[in-house]
Amino acid sequence: MSLTTYEMARILEQLDESPEKVMFGKLLIQLGNQSEDRVRSAAKQVPLELLRDIIYQFQVVLESRKGEHIQKIANDLKAEGISVEDLKSYIESKK
């Protein structure tokens, strides 16, 4: 059975508040811990259209979580005593 992007998105939305979301997240973490060869080998078994949909969904999540990474960097710099002005002047000096 092939799922459309809309159907996949609807299913993933349902997972947001269910135990399946936790298990699915754990599965993705385990996938991320595998070697490149194992991930590529597994990806080759997924139909191309579905693989494109999965990649698109990951790209959307990456873009939406970019702020989290920036906030972590900002907090780390603040903890080290580096101000926004210090960072700006450093960047300007490297241009």
Side-chain angles (χ1 to χ4, degrees):
M1 179 175 143
S2 178
L3 294 176
T4 66
T5 302
Y6 175 76
E7 291 168 331
M8 184 185 302
R10 201 175 80 228
I11 290 170
L12 290 176
E13 283 177 359
Q14 292 171 356
L15 292 178
D16 280 346
E17 297 177 4
S18 67
E20 289 85 3
K21 178 189 177 208
V22 174
M23 293 306 296
F24 191 66
K26 289 180 179 182
L27 177 66
L28 291 175
I29 290 169
Q30 287 299 318
L31 178 64
N33 289 331
Q34 301 299 312
S35 69
E36 288 181 29
D37 292 337
R38 290 190 85 177
V39 172
R40 287 180 184 164
S41 177
K44 287 178 183 177
Q45 297 176 31
V46 177
L48 193 55
E49 184 176 314
L50 184 57
L51 190 59
R52 284 186 179 126
D53 286 342
I54 292 168
I55 291 168
Y56 172 76
Q57 296 300 329
F58 279 118
Q59 288 172 334
V60 169
V61 171
L62 281 170
E63 188 61 32
S64 71
R65 293 186 64 186
K66 191 183 289 185
E68 289 178 33
H69 187 64
I70 292 170
Q71 185 62 47
K72 181 188 177 312
I73 293 170
N75 290 342
D76 291 347
L77 291 173
K78 184 178 178 182
E80 292 180 27
I82 300 172
S83 70
V84 173
E85 292 77 22
D86 294 337
L87 183 58
K88 284 180 182 177
S89 59
Y90 175 78
I91 291 171
E92 288 298 319
S93 71
K94 294 297 178 181
K95 285 185 178 181

